[in-house]
Structure formats: C-alpha cells, structure tokens
Coordinates of all heavy atoms in Angstrom, one line a residue:
M112 N -20.9 -21.7 -11.9 CA -19.8 -21.5 -11.0 C -19.2 -20.0 -11.2 O -18.9 -19.6 -12.3 CB -18.7 -22.5 -11.3 CG -17.5 -22.3 -10.5 SD -16.4 -23.8 -10.7 CE -14.9 -23.0 -10.7
A113 N -19.2 -19.3 -10.1 CA -18.7 -17.9 -10.1 C -17.2 -17.9 -9.9 O -16.6 -18.7 -9.1 CB -19.4 -17.1 -9.0
I114 N -16.5 -17.0 -10.6 CA -15.1 -16.8 -10.4 C -14.9 -15.4 -9.8 O -15.4 -14.4 -10.3 CB -14.4 -16.9 -11.8 CG1 -14.5 -18.3 -12.4 CG2 -12.9 -16.6 -11.6 CD1 -14.0 -18.4 -13.7
F115 N -14.2 -15.4 -8.7 CA -13.9 -14.2 -8.0 C -12.5 -13.9 -8.1 O -11.6 -14.7 -7.9 CB -14.3 -14.3 -6.5 CG -15.7 -14.5 -6.3 CD1 -16.2 -15.8 -6.1 CD2 -16.6 -13.5 -6.3 CE1 -17.6 -16.0 -5.9 CE2 -18.0 -13.7 -6.1 CZ -18.5 -14.9 -5.9
I116 N -12.2 -12.6 -8.5 CA -10.8 -12.1 -8.6 C -10.6 -11.1 -7.5 O -11.3 -10.2 -7.4 CB -10.5 -11.5 -10.0 CG1 -10.7 -12.6 -11.1 CG2 -9.1 -10.9 -10.0 CD1 -10.6 -12.1 -12.5
T117 N -9.6 -11.4 -6.6 CA -9.3 -10.5 -5.6 C -8.2 -9.5 -6.0 O -7.1 -10.0 -6.4 CB -8.8 -11.2 -4.3 OG1 -9.9 -12.1 -3.9 CG2 -8.6 -10.3 -3.2
R118 N -8.5 -8.3 -6.1 CA -7.5 -7.3 -6.5 C -6.6 -7.0 -5.3 O -7.1 -6.7 -4.2 CB -8.2 -6.0 -6.9 CG -7.3 -5.0 -7.5 CD -8.0 -3.8 -8.1 NE -7.1 -2.7 -8.2 CZ -7.5 -1.5 -8.0 NH1 -8.7 -1.2 -7.7 NH2 -6.6 -0.5 -8.1
T119 N -5.3 -7.0 -5.5 CA -4.3 -6.8 -4.4 C -3.4 -5.7 -4.9 O -3.2 -5.4 -6.1 CB -3.5 -8.0 -4.1 OG1 -2.8 -8.5 -5.2 CG2 -4.4 -9.1 -3.5
A120 N -2.7 -5.1 -3.9 CA -1.7 -4.1 -4.1 C -0.6 -4.3 -3.1 O -0.9 -4.8 -2.0 CB -2.3 -2.7 -4.1
T121 N 0.6 -3.8 -3.3 CA 1.7 -3.8 -2.4 C 1.8 -2.5 -1.6 O 1.9 -1.4 -2.3 CB 3.0 -4.2 -3.1 OG1 2.8 -5.4 -3.7 CG2 4.1 -4.3 -2.0
D122 N 1.7 -2.5 -0.3 CA 1.9 -1.4 0.5 C 3.3 -0.8 0.3 O 4.3 -1.5 0.5 CB 1.7 -1.8 2.0 CG 1.8 -0.6 3.0 OD1 2.6 0.3 2.8 OD2 1.1 -0.7 4.0
P123 N 3.4 0.4 -0.2 CA 4.7 1.0 -0.5 C 5.6 1.3 0.7 O 6.8 1.4 0.5 CB 4.4 2.3 -1.3 CG 3.0 2.7 -0.8 CD 2.3 1.4 -0.5
V124 N 5.0 1.3 1.9 CA 5.8 1.6 3.1 C 6.4 0.3 3.6 O 7.6 0.3 3.9 CB 4.9 2.2 4.1 CG1 5.7 2.4 5.5 CG2 4.4 3.6 3.6
C125 N 5.7 -0.8 3.7 CA 6.2 -2.0 4.4 C 6.3 -3.2 3.5 O 6.9 -4.2 3.8 CB 5.4 -2.3 5.6 SG 3.7 -2.9 5.2
G126 N 5.7 -3.1 2.3 CA 5.8 -4.2 1.4 C 4.7 -5.3 1.5 O 4.7 -6.3 0.8
T127 N 3.8 -5.1 2.4 CA 2.7 -6.1 2.7 C 1.8 -6.1 1.5 O 1.4 -5.1 0.9 CB 1.9 -5.8 3.9 OG1 2.8 -5.8 5.0 CG2 0.8 -6.7 4.2
V128 N 1.4 -7.3 1.0 CA 0.4 -7.4 0.0 C -1.0 -7.2 0.7 O -1.4 -7.9 1.6 CB 0.4 -8.8 -0.7 CG1 -0.7 -8.9 -1.7 CG2 1.8 -9.0 -1.4
V129 N -1.7 -6.2 0.1 CA -3.0 -5.8 0.7 C -4.1 -6.1 -0.2 O -4.0 -5.8 -1.4 CB -2.9 -4.3 1.0 CG1 -4.2 -3.7 1.5 CG2 -1.8 -3.9 1.8
R130 N -5.2 -6.6 0.3 CA -6.5 -6.8 -0.5 C -7.0 -5.3 -0.6 O -7.3 -4.7 0.4 CB -7.5 -7.6 0.2 CG -7.2 -9.1 0.1 CD -8.4 -9.8 0.7 NE -8.0 -11.2 0.9 CZ -8.8 -12.1 1.5 NH1 -10.0 -11.7 1.9 NH2 -8.5 -13.3 1.7
V131 N -7.2 -4.9 -1.8 CA -7.7 -3.5 -2.1 C -9.0 -3.2 -1.4 O -9.2 -2.2 -0.7 CB -7.8 -3.2 -3.6 CG1 -8.5 -1.9 -3.9 CG2 -6.4 -3.2 -4.2
A132 N -9.9 -4.2 -1.4 CA -11.2 -4.0 -0.8 C -11.1 -3.9 0.7 O -12.0 -3.3 1.4 CB -12.1 -5.1 -1.2
R133 N -10.1 -4.3 1.3 CA -9.9 -4.3 2.8 C -8.8 -3.4 3.2 O -8.4 -3.5 4.4 CB -9.7 -5.7 3.3 CG -10.9 -6.6 3.1 CD -10.7 -7.9 3.7 NE -11.9 -8.7 3.6 CZ -12.2 -9.8 4.3 NH1 -11.3 -10.2 5.2 NH2 -13.3 -10.4 4.1
A134 N -8.2 -2.6 2.4 CA -7.1 -1.7 2.7 C -7.5 -0.8 3.9 O -8.6 -0.2 3.9 CB -6.7 -0.9 1.5
A135 N -6.6 -0.6 4.8 CA -6.9 0.3 6.0 C -6.8 1.7 5.6 O -7.4 2.6 6.2 CB -5.9 0.0 7.1
A136 N -6.1 2.0 4.5 CA -5.9 3.4 4.0 C -5.6 3.4 2.6 O -5.1 2.4 2.1 CB -4.8 4.1 4.8
A137 N -5.8 4.5 1.9 CA -5.5 4.6 0.5 C -5.1 6.0 0.2 O -5.5 6.9 0.9 CB -6.7 4.2 -0.4
A138 N -4.3 6.2 -0.9 CA -3.9 7.6 -1.3 C -3.8 7.6 -2.8 O -3.5 6.6 -3.4 CB -2.6 7.9 -0.6
D139 N -4.0 8.8 -3.3 CA -3.7 9.0 -4.7 C -2.5 9.9 -4.8 O -2.5 11.0 -4.3 CB -4.9 9.7 -5.4 CG -4.7 10.0 -6.9 OD1 -4.4 9.0 -7.6 OD2 -4.9 11.1 -7.3
F140 N -1.4 9.4 -5.4 CA -0.2 10.1 -5.5 C 0.3 10.1 -6.9 O 0.5 9.1 -7.5 CB 0.9 9.4 -4.6 CG 2.2 10.1 -4.6 CD1 2.3 11.3 -3.9 CD2 3.3 9.6 -5.3 CE1 3.5 12.0 -3.9 CE2 4.5 10.3 -5.3 CZ 4.6 11.5 -4.6
Q141 N 0.3 11.3 -7.5 CA 0.8 11.6 -8.8 C 0.0 10.7 -9.8 O 0.6 10.1 -10.7 CB 2.3 11.4 -9.0 CG 3.1 12.4 -8.2 CD 4.6 12.2 -8.3 OE1 5.0 11.2 -8.8 NE2 5.3 13.2 -7.8
G142 N -1.3 10.6 -9.6 CA -2.2 9.8 -10.5 C -2.1 8.3 -10.2 O -2.8 7.6 -10.9
Q143 N -1.4 7.9 -9.3 CA -1.3 6.4 -8.9 C -2.1 6.2 -7.6 O -1.8 6.8 -6.6 CB 0.2 6.0 -8.8 CG 0.4 4.6 -8.5 CD 1.8 4.2 -8.4 OE1 2.7 5.1 -8.4 NE2 2.1 2.9 -8.2
E144 N -3.0 5.2 -7.7 CA -3.7 4.8 -6.5 C -2.9 3.8 -5.6 O -2.5 2.8 -6.2 CB -5.1 4.2 -6.9 CG -6.0 4.1 -5.8 CD -7.4 3.7 -6.2 OE1 -7.5 3.2 -7.4 OE2 -8.4 3.9 -5.5
L145 N -2.7 4.2 -4.4 CA -1.9 3.3 -3.5 C -2.7 2.9 -2.3 O -3.6 3.6 -1.9 CB -0.7 4.1 -3.0 CG 0.2 4.7 -4.0 CD1 1.2 5.7 -3.4 CD2 1.0 3.6 -4.8
F146 N -2.4 1.7 -1.8 CA -3.2 1.1 -0.7 C -2.2 0.7 0.4 O -1.1 0.3 0.1 CB -4.0 -0.1 -1.2 CG -5.0 0.3 -2.3 CD1 -4.6 0.3 -3.6 CD2 -6.2 0.8 -1.9 CE1 -5.5 0.7 -4.6 CE2 -7.1 1.2 -2.9 CZ -6.8 1.1 -4.2
F147 N -2.7 0.8 1.7 CA -1.9 0.5 2.8 C -2.5 -0.5 3.7 O -3.7 -0.6 3.9 CB -1.7 1.8 3.6 CG -1.1 2.9 2.7 CD1 -1.9 3.8 2.0 CD2 0.3 3.0 2.5 CE1 -1.4 4.8 1.2 CE2 0.8 4.0 1.7 CZ 0.0 4.8 1.0
C148 N -1.7 -1.3 4.4 CA -2.1 -2.3 5.3 C -2.7 -1.8 6.6 O -3.4 -2.4 7.3 CB -1.0 -3.3 5.6 SG 0.4 -2.6 6.6
S149 N -2.2 -0.6 7.0 CA -2.7 0.0 8.3 C -2.7 1.6 8.1 O -2.1 2.1 7.2 CB -1.7 -0.3 9.4 OG -0.4 0.3 9.1
S150 N -3.4 2.2 9.1 CA -3.5 3.6 9.1 C -2.1 4.2 9.4 O -1.7 5.3 8.9 CB -4.5 4.1 10.1 OG -4.2 3.7 11.4
H151 N -1.3 3.4 10.2 CA 0.1 3.9 10.4 C 0.9 4.0 9.2 O 1.6 5.0 8.9 CB 0.8 2.9 11.4 CG 2.2 3.2 11.6 ND1 2.7 4.2 12.4 CD2 3.3 2.6 11.1 CE1 4.0 4.2 12.4 NE2 4.4 3.2 11.6
C152 N 0.8 3.0 8.3 CA 1.6 3.0 7.0 C 1.1 4.1 6.1 O 1.8 4.8 5.5 CB 1.5 1.7 6.3 SG 2.6 0.4 7.0
G153 N -0.3 4.4 6.2 CA -0.8 5.5 5.4 C -0.3 6.8 5.9 O 0.1 7.7 5.1
A154 N -0.2 7.0 7.2 CA 0.3 8.3 7.7 C 1.8 8.4 7.5 O 2.3 9.5 7.2 CB 0.0 8.3 9.2
T155 N 2.5 7.3 7.6 CA 4.0 7.3 7.3 C 4.2 7.8 5.9 O 5.1 8.6 5.6 CB 4.6 6.0 7.6 OG1 4.4 5.6 9.0 CG2 6.1 5.9 7.3
F156 N 3.4 7.2 5.0 CA 3.6 7.6 3.6 C 3.2 9.1 3.4 O 3.9 9.8 2.7 CB 2.6 6.7 2.7 CG 2.7 7.1 1.2 CD1 3.7 6.6 0.4 CD2 1.7 8.0 0.7 CE1 3.7 7.0 -0.9 CE2 1.8 8.4 -0.6 CZ 2.8 7.9 -1.4
A157 N 2.1 9.5 4.0 CA 1.7 10.9 3.8 C 2.7 11.9 4.3 O 2.9 13.0 3.7 CB 0.4 11.1 4.5
A158 N 3.5 11.5 5.3 CA 4.5 12.4 5.8 C 5.7 12.6 4.9 O 6.4 13.7 4.9 CB 5.0 11.9 7.2
D159 N 6.0 11.6 4.0 CA 7.2 11.7 3.1 C 7.0 10.8 1.9 O 7.6 9.8 1.8 CB 8.4 11.3 3.9 CG 9.7 11.6 3.1 OD1 9.6 12.2 2.0 OD2 10.8 11.2 3.5
P160 N 6.0 11.1 1.1 CA 5.7 10.2 0.0 C 6.8 9.9 -1.0 O 6.9 8.7 -1.5 CB 4.5 10.8 -0.7 CG 4.5 12.2 -0.3 CD 5.2 12.3 1.0
D161 N 7.6 10.9 -1.3 CA 8.7 10.7 -2.2 C 9.7 9.6 -1.8 O 10.2 8.8 -2.6 CB 9.5 12.0 -2.5 CG 8.6 13.0 -3.3 OD1 7.9 12.5 -4.2 OD2 8.7 14.2 -3.0
R162 N 9.9 9.5 -0.5 CA 10.8 8.4 0.1 C 10.3 7.0 -0.3 O 11.1 6.2 -0.6 CB 10.8 8.6 1.6 CG 11.6 7.5 2.3 CD 11.6 7.7 3.7 NE 12.4 6.6 4.3 CZ 12.4 6.4 5.6 NH1 11.8 7.2 6.5 NH2 13.1 5.4 6.1
Y163 N 9.0 6.8 -0.3 CA 8.4 5.5 -0.5 C 8.1 5.1 -1.9 O 8.2 4.0 -2.3 CB 7.2 5.3 0.4 CG 7.6 5.4 1.8 CD1 7.4 6.6 2.6 CD2 8.3 4.4 2.5 CE1 7.8 6.7 3.9 CE2 8.7 4.5 3.8 CZ 8.4 5.6 4.5 OH 8.8 5.8 5.8
V164 N 7.8 6.1 -2.7 CA 7.6 5.9 -4.1 C 8.9 5.6 -4.9 O 8.9 4.7 -5.7 CB 6.8 7.1 -4.8 CG1 6.8 6.9 -6.3 CG2 5.4 7.2 -4.2
A165 N 9.9 6.3 -4.4 CA 11.2 6.1 -5.1 C 12.1 5.0 -4.5 O 13.1 4.7 -5.0 CB 12.0 7.4 -5.0
A166 N 11.6 4.4 -3.4 CA 12.4 3.4 -2.7 C 12.6 2.1 -3.6 O 11.7 1.6 -4.2 CB 11.7 3.0 -1.4
S167 N 13.9 1.7 -3.7 CA 14.2 0.5 -4.4 C 14.0 -0.8 -3.6 O 13.7 -1.9 -4.0 CB 15.6 0.5 -5.0 OG 16.5 0.7 -3.9
S168 N 14.2 -0.6 -2.2 CA 13.9 -1.7 -1.3 C 12.9 -1.3 -0.3 O 12.9 -0.1 0.1 CB 15.2 -2.2 -0.7 OG 15.7 -1.1 0.1
V169 N 12.0 -2.2 0.1 CA 11.0 -1.8 1.0 C 11.3 -2.4 2.4 O 11.5 -3.6 2.6 CB 9.6 -2.4 0.5 CG1 8.5 -2.1 1.5 CG2 9.3 -1.9 -0.9
P170 N 11.4 -1.5 3.4 CA 11.6 -2.0 4.8 C 10.4 -2.6 5.3 O 9.3 -2.4 4.9 CB 11.9 -0.7 5.5 CG 11.2 0.4 4.8 CD 11.2 -0.1 3.3
S171 N 10.6 -3.4 6.3 CA 9.5 -4.1 6.9 C 8.9 -3.4 8.1 O 9.7 -2.8 8.9 CB 9.9 -5.5 7.4 OG 8.8 -6.1 8.1
C172 N 7.6 -3.3 8.3 CA 7.0 -2.6 9.5 C 6.9 -3.6 10.6 O 6.4 -3.3 11.7 CB 5.7 -2.0 9.1 SG 4.4 -3.1 8.7
R173 N 7.3 -4.9 10.4 CA 7.1 -5.9 11.4 C 8.4 -6.1 12.1 O 9.2 -7.1 11.9 CB 6.7 -7.2 10.8 CG 5.3 -7.2 10.2 CD 4.9 -8.5 9.6 NE 4.0 -8.3 8.5 CZ 4.3 -8.4 7.2 NH1 5.5 -8.7 6.8 NH2 3.4 -8.2 6.4
T174 N 8.8 -5.2 13.0 CA 10.0 -5.3 13.8 C 9.8 -5.5 15.2 O 8.7 -5.4 15.7 CB 10.9 -4.0 13.6 OG1 10.1 -2.9 14.1 CG2 11.3 -3.8 12.2

C-alpha cells in the first residue's frame, strides 16, 4: 500500500490552499518559496510583495 502526501501551501494574496504540484505560479521571496492559485495572484504579489508577506489578514480574491 502506497502512501501519498500532498504538499500544500497557502496563497499569500487570497488565502487559498494550493497544491504545490499544481500551483499556477510560484515565487521565491527573501528565501521563502511561495505558491499561488492563479497567475493573477502571482502578478498581484509581484507588484507589491511586502504588502502580502506582512499582511496579518488575507483578503479573498473571490468577490
């Protein structure tokens, strides 16, 4: 019996839990690997990364 572990990460822009293997975008920021649910969230992060890394609450992109 094989055991599979799915690695996940939280998108820092919208808070969506993302499967790392299926992330639409990824970035390396200050030595931390980040993953995004969409190319839009990746681009939003790239435009102002400090805003999202330091954010204490995560806004939703599902509006």
Side-chain angles (χ1 to χ4, degrees):
M112 181 167 140
I114 298 175
F115 296 97
I116 298 174
T117 302
R118 186 170 160 221
T119 61
T121 302
D122 182 323
V124 175
C125 68
T127 299
V128 175
V129 178
R130 285 187 192 175
V131 169
R133 294 185 176 196
D139 182 51
F140 182 73
Q141 297 179 347
Q143 182 179 6
E144 194 172 16
L145 304 170
F146 299 91
F147 304 93
C148 68
S149 67
S150 57
H151 172 76
C152 281
T155 300
F156 177 83
D159 189 6
D161 291 324
R162 174 180 178 189
Y163 297 100
V164 171
S167 58
S168 62
V169 178
S171 175
C172 65
R173 293 183 208 102
T174 56

